[in-house]
Amino acid sequence: MSDQEQPQIYLITPAEIDLSQFQPRLAAVLDAQPVACLRVALSTQDEDRIARAADVCREICHTRDVAVVLDSHIGLAERLGLDGVHLTDGARSVRKARKALGPDAIIGAFCTQSRHEGMNAGEAGADYIAFGPAGATSLGDGAQAERELFAWWSEMIELPVVAEGALDAELIAALAPVTDFFGIGDEIWSKEDPAATLGQLISAIA
């Protein structure tokens, strides 16, 4: 990323969605703030629920020229006409996803805090690598993707990198020079006004 470019926003849906409430909230966020991509990341394994949520998100996003990727489910991403898939198992499924979805699909790989896994995913054909959590959290094993990782990646690797997980304005300001995208999810959806909250986070980038 050059010095002139600023990181873009990569939205992540809540793990649980009430579509009647989420639909207008998502539309309001996209109308208020610049967003590059939305990841549909539901915790359910119910295919019908995932499909209905993805259909709604696709309709809202595509009318606003925002790409939509689906968390993990390669077959569903293709069937639902989404722009690609976000893989949560590092480099393991990248080649499979590329073969299934074709050369134009967006394929991302979450690689926790592993520089090595990120490089492997890139070599396998991923379009972006995500590291996280970038902020401090007691979830999982508590490991954190440090600024040093993003700085090294941005200096050595051309592939875009996403910083996600437990972000706040201070952390966004610190990581802005060394990342290409900020993955924003629970940071805004848990708030009464997600659009305004995202605006506050975006202001920290500059």
Side-chain angles (χ1 to χ4, degrees):
M1 187 174 65
S2 72
D3 292 339
Q4 286 72 39
E5 293 178 323
Q6 289 190 344
Q8 299 181 70
I9 298 300
Y10 175 128
L11 279 188
I12 305 166
T13 70
E16 301 288 339
I17 290 178
D18 179 337
L19 283 177
S20 64
Q21 296 182 10
F22 183 70
Q23 186 170 356
R25 284 161 69 84
L26 174 60
V29 169
L30 297 185
D31 287 339
Q33 307 295 346
V35 171
C37 184
L38 174 76
R39 182 199 309 165
V40 180
L42 304 187
S43 60
T44 181
Q45 295 298 304
D46 184 314
E47 183 176 330
D48 183 60
R49 288 178 63 190
I50 295 171
R52 281 187 285 116
D55 280 340
V56 167
C57 291
R58 185 192 65 239
E59 182 176 343
I60 294 170
C61 289
H62 282 184
T63 59
R64 294 164 174 82
D65 294 321
V66 175
V68 182
V69 297
L70 182 62
D71 208 58
S72 302
H73 304 293
I74 300 169
L76 269 180
E78 181 180 29
R79 180 165 70 80
L80 296 171
L82 305 182
D83 298 287
V85 66
H86 174 86
L87 304 170
T88 57
D89 59 355
R92 281 187 291 250
S93 303
V94 172
R95 284 193 172 88
K96 177 182 178 182
R98 181 61 70 198
K99 183 178 180 181
L101 300 178
D104 296 329
I106 300 170
I107 295 175
F110 179 69
C111 298
T112 60
Q113 304 88 37
S114 175
R115 179 187 304 182
H116 178 71
E117 192 71 18
M119 293 171 65
N120 286 344
E123 291 172 1
D127 293 298
Y128 70 82
I129 304 301
F131 293 122
T137 175
S138 57
L139 297 176
D141 62 4
Q144 190 174 339
E146 303 289 348
R147 188 184 189 280
E148 179 186 4
L149 172 60
F150 294 99
W152 178 88
W153 188 274
S154 293
E155 181 179 352
M156 303 299 294
I157 310 292
E158 292 186 6
L159 200 64
V161 62
V162 180
E164 64 176 72
L167 293 167
D168 57 25
E170 182 179 358
L171 189 52
I172 284 174
L175 291 175
V178 294
T179 192
D180 299 288
F181 295 90
F182 284 111
I184 304 291
D186 291 339
E187 294 91 344
I188 68 167
W189 300 122
S190 60
K191 308 299 182 183
E192 186 173 340
D193 189 341
T197 303
L198 180 57
Q200 294 167 4
L201 295 176
I202 290 174
S203 68
I205 293 175

